[in-house]
Amino acid sequence: RLLLSSLRSRLILLVLLCAIPLAGLLLYSAYEQRRLTVAKAAQDALRLALEIAEIHDDIIHGARQLLIGLAYLPVVHNHDSQSCNTLFAALLRQFPIYANLGAAKPNGEVFCSSLPLKQPLNISDQPSFQAALQTRDLTVSGYLIGRISGKPSIVIMYLSVDSSGNVRAVVFVGVSIAWLDQTIARILLPPGSAVTLMNREG
């Protein structure tokens, strides 16, 4: 009995000595696999963020070029609402990424819009409008719902000045954020992925 008991104990000890390193190896392998999965997820998120940022920069650059051109138009300088509305409406059809094109007087009164105004509108309370007048440079709003279009947008504004440097108007374009959905939709993400976008205020 003692011999058998001793032999059994030795066999159990031998099995344990073999199993412990194997269990440790399995635990390490699981930890390493999880670490690699987390690292890949972080890389994918960074890649997506950089791609969205690059597209965003391209959109801002394109809107800037358009607004610079609009700022020099006589219909904008002269506050010619009827002609300006017609022209901006035709332009909007050529740029589906934009939710609206418009122009406001220095006091904020909107006199031109590619979409019909249901009632008089003043945008002087908009931070991006005030910033455009203060900095005399291109300004970009945060995420908002367009007052005219009713669509989730960001609004980009630029000053229209005359030859003497006097501000004649503020031209603006509302960029629909639908491009974000389109961008995310064409990027291959792992099943079950969720994408959350936040502005600088969180």
Side-chain angles (χ1 to χ4, degrees):
R1 288 180 180 177
L2 289 175
L3 179 62
L4 290 175
S5 177
S6 177
L7 182 60
R8 185 183 298 113
S9 299
R10 290 179 181 180
L11 286 173
I12 292 173
L13 181 60
L14 181 61
V15 170
L16 288 175
L17 289 175
C18 293
I20 290 174
L22 180 60
L25 181 61
L26 289 174
L27 289 173
Y28 175 77
S29 178
Y31 166 79
E32 187 66 11
Q33 181 63 37
R34 183 179 184 280
R35 187 186 67 80
L36 292 175
T37 301
V38 171
K40 185 178 185 305
Q43 290 176 352
D44 289 342
L46 179 59
R47 173 178 54 81
L48 176 59
L50 290 174
E51 183 169 345
I52 289 176
E54 184 176 351
I55 295 173
H56 183 265
D57 287 344
D58 290 342
I59 290 173
I60 299 298
H61 179 72
R64 181 187 184 92
Q65 300 306 311
L66 175 62
L67 290 176
I68 289 175
L70 298 180
Y72 285 98
L73 294 176
V75 293
V76 173
H77 277 208
N78 300 330
H79 302 166
D80 184 349
S81 295
Q82 185 173 354
S83 299
C84 186
N85 289 340
T86 302
L87 175 60
F88 279 25
L91 286 172
L92 184 66
R93 290 192 289 271
Q94 304 301 316
F95 298 97
I97 193 173
Y98 298 142
N100 192 27
L101 292 168
K105 297 177 181 179
N107 66 359
E109 178 188 339
V110 176
F111 68 88
C112 177
S113 173
S114 57
L115 299 177
L117 291 176
K118 297 179 181 178
Q119 58 187 11
L121 177 64
N122 191 296
I123 59 172
S124 60
D125 61 330
Q126 291 293 314
S128 53
F129 181 87
Q130 298 169 6
L133 293 176
Q134 293 171 2
T135 64
R136 300 179 73 89
D137 198 1
L138 189 84
T139 59
V140 182
S141 76
Y143 168 86
L144 50 78
I145 302 297
R147 291 183 178 180
I148 301 174
S149 68
K151 296 180 179 179
S153 312
I154 57 172
V155 178
I156 305 168
M157 299 192 178
Y158 190 78
L159 291 187
S160 171
V161 298
D162 60 23
S163 57
S164 301
N166 300 313
V167 177
R168 296 292 302 162
V170 177
V171 289
F172 59 86
V173 56
V175 181
S176 171
I177 63 168
W179 63 270
L180 284 170
D181 292 333
Q182 298 165 5
T183 299
I184 294 169
R186 71 169 183 265
I187 295 175
L188 296 177
L189 294 173
S193 296
V195 178
T196 301
L197 300 170
M198 293 173 285
N199 62 13
R200 70 185 67 183
E201 287 80 27

